[in-house]
Amino acid sequence: MNKEFDIAIIGAGPGGVSAAIYASRGGLKTVVFEKGLIGGQIVLTADVENYPGFEENMSGFDVMDKMRKQADKFGTIFKAEEVKEIEPEKKIVKTANETYEVKAIIMATGANPRKLNVVGEAKLTGRGVSYCATCDGALYRGKTVAIVGGGDSAVEEALFLTKFAEKVYIIHRRDELRAVKIIQERAFANEKIEVIWDSVIEEIEGEQFVENVKLKNVKTNAISDLKLDGIFVYVGINPNNALIKDFIEMDEAGFVITNAEMLTNIAGVFAVGDLVQKVLRQVVTAAADGAIAAFVAEKWIEENK
Ligand code: NAP
């Protein structure tokens, strides 16, 4: 049993790395486990324009590289190990290589946008196919874009995109939106937005960048072409909750419910970032969650010695 560390952070996106900076700077021996690339979803974003303090655009990769170096500076240990199991009450974290016993755990495993799973989507991701209007919307000034989905996220982001794009289609698979009435009404009143009802994307076409989509009307089965510069997919996100779903309180969509201290229903187990039920999923909010969780965890460890 490895008892080297005070706190284990699972996931090295903005929430996890921010927690690591605060925890290690606060004097806790801190380990961060990451099974993939350090940085989380934001490393897929070309330009981060809205993270406070960075006047010049930076790539998501560069933002996270700086965050990681800051955590290194305070002594955080990053381990490229996949966590296989957690025993929350005992604060035990098991990877394929080793079993760790710590004093507190911060879950920062994030979420993944649901994909359309159509031909062309993977090839053109980052080349016109995006899962984040807030991140990439400004790249589409004067262009024609489509949002796929009919929920709150899709309709809110369609409204956001009208700040930049000339034309915003909402492609929805049914004949009514799922989004709350008030934002539906805003969308219907916006001249730049046009809803394409009862339709799904069959294929996304383009050589280097998105050029066209093949649409299928699900009622008539008619296929049509729609010329587009960008497609924003908002068909829901899946929280990465597999490690904790059996014991942590979550909402019906699987997002972890925390209190204002980022504490879950289990003492000493915190959750931060996209994994958590919240209204805005951004680097800045994940980083804030991480800071709060680490600060409270430090106090909790001190009080529970
Ligand atoms: P969501 O509510 O699950 O909506 C997903 C949308 O995508 C639905 O309209 C769904 O169609 C459609 N869809 C799902 N799979 C699809 C597929 N394969 N192809 C085409 N369309 C597909 O997801 P969300 O909008 O991301 O919202 C998630 C949660 O966050 C919700 O509880 C929402 O209320 C909340 N939220 C709240 C706010 C706010 O209050 N301001 C803002 C954003 C999100 P159907 O309608 O036919 O199922």
Side-chain angles (χ1 to χ4, degrees), residues 114 116 148-154 156 172-174 178 234-236:
R114 274 191 216 136
L116 292 174
V148 189
D152 286 330
S153 299
E156 280 190 356
H172 185 40
R173 63 184 179 183
R174 290 189 294 133
R178 178 180 293 277
Y234 275 96
V235 295

Side-chain angles (χ1 to χ4, degrees), residues 27-242:
L28 297 179
K29 294 197 184 92
T30 305
V31 60
V32 179
F33 297 103
E34 174 57 61
K35 67 172 177 178
L37 282 177
I38 286 182
Q41 292 184 89
I42 191 66
V43 298
L44 301 174
T45 299
D47 284 309
V48 178
E49 265 185 346
N50 54 2
Y51 190 59
F54 294 91
E55 198 182 347
E56 303 295 328
N57 286 6
M58 277 178 81
S59 69
F61 180 87
D62 287 342
V63 170
M64 289 314 300
D65 192 48
K66 279 184 175 292
M67 259 195 220
R68 189 240 158 99
K69 284 179 178 148
Q70 208 175 347
D72 282 341
K73 190 174 85 178
F74 294 118
T76 298
I77 302 297
F78 286 87
K79 291 197 183 262
E81 289 177 33
E82 179 172 358
V83 174
K84 300 281 190 195
E85 197 187 330
I86 288 170
E87 289 180 36
E89 305 289 353
K90 295 183 183 159
K91 310 290 176 282
I92 284 176
V93 176
K94 293 180 185 167
T95 71
N97 307 337
E98 211 164 349
T99 299
Y100 298 82
E101 189 184 324
V102 292
K103 296 167 188 156
I105 295 172
I106 298 179
M107 295 303 304
T109 45
N112 275 311
R114 274 191 216 136
K115 306 278 191 301
L116 292 174
N117 295 318
V118 296
V119 176
E121 183 181 20
K123 178 185 129 186
L124 294 167
T125 292
R127 298 166 172 273
V129 176
S130 170
Y131 301 87
C132 180
T134 317
C135 316
D136 299 329
L139 304 171
Y140 293 87
R141 265 175 225 281
K143 306 259 168 113
T144 300
V145 299
I147 286 255
V148 189
D152 286 330
S153 299
V155 181
E156 280 190 356
E157 299 306 322
L159 284 161
F160 174 75
L161 285 171
T162 61
K163 291 185 185 174
F164 312 104
E166 191 59 37
K167 176 87 191 173
V168 179
Y169 293 100
I170 296 176
I171 300 169
H172 185 40
R173 63 184 179 183
R174 290 189 294 133
D175 58 5
E176 61 177 346
L177 297 173
R178 178 180 293 277
V180 293
K181 269 274 168 316
I182 184 160
I183 50 170
Q184 285 195 32
E185 282 162 11
R186 270 184 222 149
F188 295 144
N190 192 307
E191 285 177 359
K192 285 186 173 178
I193 294 180
E194 182 179 335
V195 185
I196 301 179
W197 300 106
D198 300 315
S199 296
V200 293
I201 291 182
E202 288 267 284
E203 186 173 346
I204 303 171
E205 298 171 328
E207 279 302 316
Q208 293 298 317
F209 292 92
V210 167
E211 293 165 24
N212 188 65
V213 293
K214 289 253 178 277
L215 285 180
K216 182 171 121 182
N217 182 302
V218 294
K219 285 192 174 152
T220 64
N221 285 332
I223 304 284
S224 59
D225 286 300
L226 181 67
K227 297 237 168 300
L228 292 173
D229 301 302
I231 301 164
F232 290 84
V233 180
Y234 275 96
V235 295
I237 61 170
N238 296 324
N240 299 324
N241 59 16

